[in-house]
Amino acid sequence: MDERINRALTTVRRRQQLLFTLKCIGYGLLGSAAVGVVAGISRLAFDASLAPWLVASLFVVGPVFGLVTGLLWRRGWNEAAGAVDKHYELKDRTISALEFSARTEPDSLRELQVDDAAEHLKQLQPAAVVPLRWPTSLGYATATAIVAATLLFWPRATSSVKANLAEPLPGVLLAADIIQ
């Protein structure tokens, strides 16, 4: 890959990776929170108790899985080039230059294409191409997690207990009378 194109696309690719990782964390939290909502409803409906480590793991496992997925599932160079072409309306100039720079045989037309794309990429603003915004998945996940936490930690209805002395059994009373 041509160093000029690589340098220009690296920041765009990094921002795409960060945004993708945040989305994966959001989807992981959304999944965990949905399980938490079901567990909370079950807890209230069946008057069951859940271990504190289980409740904590409900809110940790999903986001951790999303984080690992987001970090391991790498965004490609073609995605970064496509985002640049789309934002600046370059009509696939960057994608073509990326493909041409990967080829080893020299060709003046290909070199011209790579040089043209590199010249356009000098004015690249990665923040404009990939704006970092709060992913929608994280918003829904946060709301669902609040509902799940409310259901999981809502105090259960307690019945009042009234203790009375039990009436003595008639057989016991009869035996006591005989002994006296």
Side-chain angles (χ1 to χ4, degrees), residues 124-173:
L124 177 70
Q125 294 177 350
V129 176
V130 183
L132 293 180
R133 295 188 181 120
W134 186 261
T136 309
S137 63
L138 270 173
Y140 290 131
T142 303
T144 309
I146 290 170
V147 170
T150 302
L151 290 171
L152 287 168
F153 295 112
W154 192 267
R156 292 182 294 192
T158 57
S159 58
S160 59
V161 177
K162 294 182 182 178
N164 291 330
L165 292 174
E167 293 292 324
L169 297 172
V172 173
L173 288 174

Side-chain angles (χ1 to χ4, degrees), residues 39-121:
I41 291 172
S42 298
R43 183 186 77 86
L44 292 174
F46 300 116
D47 200 33
S49 62
L50 298 173
W53 65 268
L54 182 62
V55 173
S57 68
L58 282 175
F59 293 103
V60 174
V61 170
V64 168
F65 180 74
L67 174 67
V68 170
T69 301
L71 292 176
L72 293 179
W73 194 342
R74 305 301 296 172
R75 309 317 307 156
W77 290 103
N78 282 340
E79 292 177 51
V84 169
D85 284 340
K86 183 178 178 183
H87 180 75
Y88 290 110
E89 299 176 357
L90 294 179
K91 300 179 183 171
D92 293 338
R93 249 187 208 139
T94 310
I95 291 176
S96 299
L98 194 63
E99 291 175 10
F100 288 152
S101 68
R103 297 184 182 170
T104 55
E105 66 268 1
D107 185 357
S108 58
L109 179 63
R110 291 182 186 143
E111 289 176 17
L112 183 63
Q113 174 69 27
V114 171
D115 290 341
D116 181 51
E119 190 64 33
H120 280 90
L121 291 176

